[in-house]
Amino acid sequence: MKSQEKTFYIETFGCQMNAHDSEKVIGTLEHEGYRQVETEEEAGLILYNTCSIRDKAEQKVFHRLNDYKKLHKAGKRFGVLGCVAQQEGEKIFERAPYVSLVSGSASYRKLPEMLARLEAGETRITGLDDRQTEETFETEFTARQNPYRGYITIIEGCDKFCAYCVVPYTRGKERSRTSASVLEEARRIADLGYTEIQLLGQNVNSYKDPEGKLSFAELLAAVGQVSGIRRVRFTTSHPRDFTKDIVEAIDAYPTLCDHVHLPVQSGSTRVLKAMAREYTRDWYLERIAWIKSAKRKISLSTDIIVGFPGETADEFIETMDLLAEVQYDCVFGFKYSPRPNTPALVMIDSIPEAEKSHRLQVLLERQREIQRSNYANHLGEILEVMVEGQNPARGQIAGRSSQNKAVNFTTTSPIAPAPGSYMPVRIIATHPNSLVGEAV
Ligand code: SAH
Ligand code: SF4
Ligand code: F3S
């Protein structure tokens, strides 16, 4: 009967871990008899999978809830999932009383039970398992939304406690899946026709096989040898746990993509110490030197926070010098945002907003110049590109190189290549953020 049909809408904010969590949540809901719909208006249950990494990200969910709260009168139920849910907990019910479900990611394995309580009419259901949880969220009901890239979470949570960061509080403690279960999922993904796998973890290289069978580098190699898999990516690596054998694995197995995302956060050893990153500038640069001495040219990207409490103009220049030294292919730059519960919150956030914005702008402008010259080096090369989609307006096909660079290209073939297929492309023009080519 139509009126009894269970429907849900989900919107996801934040990182790839969150995006993949949503794939698992959707799979779980579908298994429980729910059908996903495209708009809040069509749905019986409205879910927001939230992010709390910076204040702006956190505000998004409260804007959404406010925009749609009128739908509560029409009998719709609201659930808040993810990092804001874990951080704010029951306070969300005070701020938005029409919300019936609040659950952090460490409690998703209890979703079927929470959904049953929701259907029975309960209004204040919480899943707020914190750092006590040892369990990971494994489900065979993943509804993969990405047609060409299969995500696999190999480690959940974070034990690093960087001074500025909410993640150790919102995602619980570091806990890894067994390598056997990861490899089984990799094989399942390959059987579904995926050729690209991305291994996920807030610190993916802190992976510790609970059965002690494989190290992270060995797991990379094993996933890279799964029949049918042509590309393996992994994100995010933490410098502290970055070992040389990761580079050796990339050299040994061409299926492991030639790209490492290694967040540095700051080029100043003093600031790194204040951030509790637990490495120095030199320690970080040593790891960069390993990566640069690989037989394959490995592309590097990073995250940087400007305006951390007490960051002086000279310390910011140290970060700028580090950019010039490393020559990243991509930098995600952020202004420091004070976050609840974090140790940095009590440090005096002494840098005016305008100065933070100025530093970010200087950083991103310099990085644009670096990328302009890095990307120009690809001119004339033939790269293997995995097709992701089309841009009919510009008559171009969009894809990505193994180094994760966007490549837009034309083909003389009358039939558009399918997403997920691979093509050799000659690079004929370059931009700071993308390459332009033609299929050969
Ligand atoms: N676990 C990864 C990334 C975590 S979050 C790592 O340790 O590198 C992604 C990025 O958000 C971080 O690398 C950092 O650059 C940024 N970030 C985290 N907390 C922040 C805050 N309070 N203000 C501004 N940026 C922040
Ligand atoms: Fe946050 Fe640091 Fe953990 Fe990364 S390593 S998630 S920045 S606490
Ligand atoms: Fe955001 Fe949580 Fe990811 S805070 S960045 S969704 S781990």
Side-chain angles (χ1 to χ4, degrees):
M1 225 161 62
K2 185 90 186 152
S3 64
Q4 281 178 356
E5 194 191 25
K6 299 189 285 186
T7 52
F8 73 99
Y9 167 86
I10 187 166
E11 182 172 359
T12 308
F13 306 93
C15 60
Q16 275 149 326
M17 301 272 292
N18 242 22
H20 180 48
D21 278 350
S22 283
E23 294 184 330
K24 295 195 267 186
V25 167
I26 293 167
T28 304
L29 279 151
E30 286 175 346
H31 182 71
E32 297 297 320
Y34 286 76
R35 182 171 65 85
Q36 186 176 8
V37 294
E38 294 301 313
T39 62
E40 272 107 335
E41 284 79 3
E42 292 167 82
L45 174 61
I46 298 165
L47 296 172
Y48 297 114
N49 189 5
T50 60
C51 173
S52 167
I53 201 79
R54 286 166 290 274
D55 186 56
K56 261 203 191 127
E58 176 176 345
Q59 293 320 318
K60 280 185 193 157
V61 60
F62 293 107
H63 290 144
R64 279 297 185 285
L65 284 170
N66 204 39
D67 288 347
Y68 288 98
K69 69 177 174 204
K70 57 181 182 298
L71 294 179
H72 179 61
K73 293 204 183 69
K76 297 180 193 286
R77 316 289 297 277
F78 288 85
V80 178
L81 308 177
C83 290
V84 177
Q86 187 67 37
Q87 176 187 293
E88 295 301 304
E90 300 194 357
K91 278 187 267 173
I92 292 178
F93 297 134
E94 313 304 326
R95 195 158 162 187
Y98 43 92
V99 170
S100 312
L101 168 70
V102 170
S103 174
S105 62
S107 301
Y108 291 164
R109 63 185 192 288
K110 299 179 188 160
L111 267 176
E113 175 207 322
M114 292 191 279
L115 289 168
R117 288 167 57 194
L118 194 73
E119 288 161 26
E122 265 189 68
T123 51
R124 285 189 165 209
I125 303 156
T126 56
L128 297 171
D129 282 349
D130 55 11
R131 295 189 56 84
Q132 308 310 318
T133 308
E134 299 278 358
E135 282 175 71
T136 52
F137 177 39
E138 296 190 33
T139 166
E140 53 188 299
F141 307 119
T142 306
R144 300 195 177 275
Q145 310 286 293
N146 189 315
Y148 45 79
R149 178 181 293 167
Y151 293 105
I152 305 182
T153 303
I154 65 165
I155 173 169
E156 297 180 10
C158 178
D159 284 351
K160 300 289 189 289
F161 290 97
C162 301
Y164 50 80
C165 184
V166 292
V167 174
Y169 313 94
T170 63
R171 292 212 166 235
K173 72 164 133 186
E174 262 173 31
R175 49 207 193 275
S176 299
R177 292 171 59 183
T178 63
S179 56
S181 132
V182 171
L183 285 167
E184 193 194 299
E185 186 170 354
R187 284 185 214 106
R188 231 185 298 139
I189 287 181
D191 287 345
L192 288 172
Y194 285 91
T195 58
E196 179 170 318
I197 283 180
Q198 182 155 355
L199 303 179
L200 296 176
Q202 274 307 336
N203 299 295
V204 73
N205 59 329
S206 307
Y207 176 80
K208 272 191 197 67
D209 187 351
E211 294 175 347
K213 283 188 193 150
L214 299 185
S215 69
F216 174 65
E218 289 167 341
L219 179 64
L220 273 182
V223 174
Q225 292 173 84
V226 168
S227 163
I229 295 305
R230 292 178 65 163
R231 284 186 176 180
V232 181
R233 304 184 182 281
F234 53 99
T235 197
T236 295
S237 296
H238 193 291
R240 193 67 228 179
D241 295 325
F242 196 88
T243 46
K244 227 178 190 165
D245 55 1
I246 299 173
V247 181
E248 289 159 3
I250 295 175
D251 262 339
Y253 298 96
T255 49
L256 305 186
C257 287
D258 38 1
H259 170 222
V260 173
H261 183 64
L262 198 62
V264 65
Q265 313 302 357
S266 167
S268 151
T269 293
R270 208 241 6 122
V271 174
L272 288 170
K273 190 161 198 300
M275 288 176 164
R277 286 291 286 183
E278 294 191 343
Y279 55 82
T280 62
R281 176 192 176 99
D282 286 348
W283 163 286
Y284 180 86
L285 287 174
E286 191 185 3
R287 270 119 204 100
I288 294 292
W290 294 345
I291 297 168
K292 286 192 171 174
S293 66
K295 288 187 219 99
R296 295 164 74 186
K297 181 160 170 40
I298 299 176
S299 172
L300 284 158
S301 57
T302 201
D303 295 347
I304 287 173
I305 298 176
V306 299
F308 185 75
E311 182 191 67
T312 65
D314 283 349
E315 287 165 345
F316 172 64
I317 288 172
E318 287 187 70
T319 299
M320 295 293 288
D321 290 346
L322 186 116
L323 281 198
E325 190 168 340
V326 178
Q327 298 276 314
Y328 295 104
D329 280 335
C330 177
V331 169
F332 298 93
F334 308 104
K335 290 186 271 184
Y336 168 69
S337 170
R339 304 306 296 129
N341 310 322
T342 61
L345 197 59
V346 299
M347 300 177 190
I348 297 159
D349 184 12
S350 51
I351 298 157
E353 191 55 29
E355 177 60 19
K356 284 185 195 167
S357 300
H358 174 69
R359 288 182 192 178
L360 185 62
Q361 195 195 339
V362 169
L363 180 104
L364 296 180
E365 264 170 34
R366 178 74 185 96
Q367 179 55 28
R368 207 176 153 76
E369 289 316 307
I370 292 170
Q371 277 174 227
R372 195 185 295 283
S373 91
N374 285 0
Y375 276 54
N377 288 333
H378 290 292
L379 206 60
E381 279 181 2
I382 294 177
L383 299 178
E384 184 187 62
V385 174
M386 188 178 82
V387 175
E388 295 190 344
Q390 287 185 55
N391 187 339
R394 295 164 74 186
Q396 282 178 328
I397 295 150
R400 240 160 238 287
S401 70
S402 170
Q403 290 195 336
N404 206 31
K405 289 178 177 144
V407 183
N408 298 308
F409 65 99
T410 51
T411 166
T412 48
S413 158
I415 307 154
S421 60
Y422 292 80
M423 300 191 76
V425 173
R426 178 179 292 108
I427 304 306
I428 56 169
T430 66
H431 302 296
N433 278 310
S434 64
L435 303 170
V436 181
E438 50 195 20
V440 292

